[in-house]
Amino acid sequence: MPSKSPSLTRNSPIEERAPEIIKRLSETYPDAHVALDFTNPLECLVATILSAQCTDERVNIVTKTLFPKYPKAADYLKVPVAELAADIKSTGFFNQKTKSIRGACTRIVEVYGGKVPDTMEELITLPGVARKTANIVLGNSYGVVEGIAVDTHVRRLAQRLGFSTQDDPNKIEQDLMRLIPEDRWFDFTYVIIDHGRGICVARKPRCEDCPVNDLCPSSLV
C-alpha cells in the first residue's frame, strides 16, 4: 500500500487531498484500462451502450457474437427490432438499449456516412449517447480527451472521496475536471473505476484495505 502523508487528513481541503489521492490510487492500479472488448469506434459505442446496468464481463460475452453479425452501422438497421433485442437480451434493459443502438446507427448512417463521429459535439447528438459514452468513445477510439466519463463507479467514488457533492453526472464531471490534471483525465477514469469495483464497492466498501482511507471523509475505519 502506498505510504501515507502525515500532513494530510480526511478533513483537509479537497484541493489539498486530491493530488495525494490521485497519486496513491494511480500507484495501486498502474494498469487500469477500459474493460470492454472492441476493435473500432462502432464496436466501442455499442459496447458502451450495452454496459449500462450490466457487467463488462457479460457485455464482452454478448459482443463476441454480436460484432461479427453487425460489422457496420447499417447492419443494425437491417434486421427486425425483435432480432436485435434478442441478441442483446442478456445485458438487461434490452428494449431501451435496442432503441438507443438503432437510433444512434440511424443517425450515423444518415448524417455521418456510416462513420462514428469523432467530436463531442457530434457524438452527443446520437440517440442514447450522453457525455459518459462520448468520452469513452473519444478517448479509446480516437485518442481525444475532452472530459471524464462519469459512470456509476466514478459517481460513487467522487461523492465518497469528497471530490463532488453533486448528483448530476455533468456537474460531477466538471468538479472532477477541476481537481484532476487534464493529462490524467483519461487514465484516471479507469483507476477510479477499478477502485470502485475492487475495494470501494457500493454496498460494503472495504475501507480497511483502501490506500486512501485516511484521506476519505466517508471512511469507516
Side-chain angles (χ1 to χ4, degrees):
M1 183 176 291
S3 59
K4 297 182 178 181
S5 175
S7 63
L8 293 173
T9 72
R10 58 176 58 96
N11 295 318
S12 299
I14 185 56
E15 289 77 12
E16 295 179 11
R17 288 186 291 117
E20 182 66 14
I21 290 173
I22 293 168
K23 175 178 177 292
R24 291 190 202 173
L25 290 180
S26 297
E27 291 174 353
T28 304
Y29 306 97
D31 301 317
H33 61 278
V34 65
L36 295 170
D37 293 336
F38 51 84
T39 63
N40 58 55
L42 178 62
E43 291 181 358
C44 182
L45 173 63
V46 172
T48 304
I49 291 173
L50 294 178
S51 69
Q53 303 297 312
C54 181
T55 66
D56 290 343
E57 291 80 7
R58 167 52 55 183
V59 172
N60 289 339
I61 291 172
V62 170
T63 56
K64 187 174 293 186
T65 55
L66 187 76
F67 290 160
K69 182 177 179 179
Y70 304 97
K72 298 180 180 180
D75 295 324
Y76 287 98
L77 308 176
K78 294 177 181 178
V79 301
V81 173
E83 183 175 344
L84 176 56
D87 288 339
I88 66 172
K89 185 174 182 179
S90 65
T91 67
F93 300 95
F94 57 93
N95 286 326
Q96 180 57 49
K97 291 177 182 179
T98 297
K99 182 179 179 180
S100 294
I101 292 171
R102 285 177 59 86
C105 286
T106 296
R107 185 166 177 81
I108 288 170
V109 170
E110 294 180 350
V111 179
Y112 300 110
K115 178 181 180 294
V116 176
D118 58 4
T119 69
M120 176 65 72
E121 292 73 20
E122 293 172 320
L123 276 169
I124 60 175
T125 68
L126 304 179
V129 176
R131 283 190 61 91
K132 182 205 82 170
T133 298
N135 275 317
I136 292 174
V137 173
L138 286 173
N140 288 284
S141 295
Y142 294 117
V144 175
V145 180
E146 291 199 15
I148 295 170
V150 179
D151 72 350
T152 55
H153 299 293
V154 174
R155 175 179 178 175
R156 180 174 70 254
L157 267 67
Q159 294 170 336
R160 284 181 176 174
L161 290 169
F163 279 31
S164 179
T165 59
Q166 302 293 332
D167 288 317
D168 179 79
N170 291 338
K171 293 181 179 179
I172 292 173
E173 182 185 10
Q174 291 301 313
D175 287 340
L176 292 174
M177 290 166 66
R178 177 176 60 86
L179 292 169
I180 299 170
E182 187 172 352
D183 63 353
R184 299 298 313 281
W185 288 353
F186 178 71
D187 66 287
F188 196 67
T189 297
Y190 299 104
V191 169
I192 298 175
I193 291 173
D194 278 4
H195 190 56
R197 286 176 173 153
I199 292 180
C200 195
V201 295
R203 294 186 179 181
K204 192 176 181 181
R206 293 165 43 210
C207 296
E208 67 278 6
D209 298 323
C210 179
V212 296
N213 66 76
D214 61 312
L215 301 178
C216 178
S218 304
S219 177
L220 302 177
V221 297

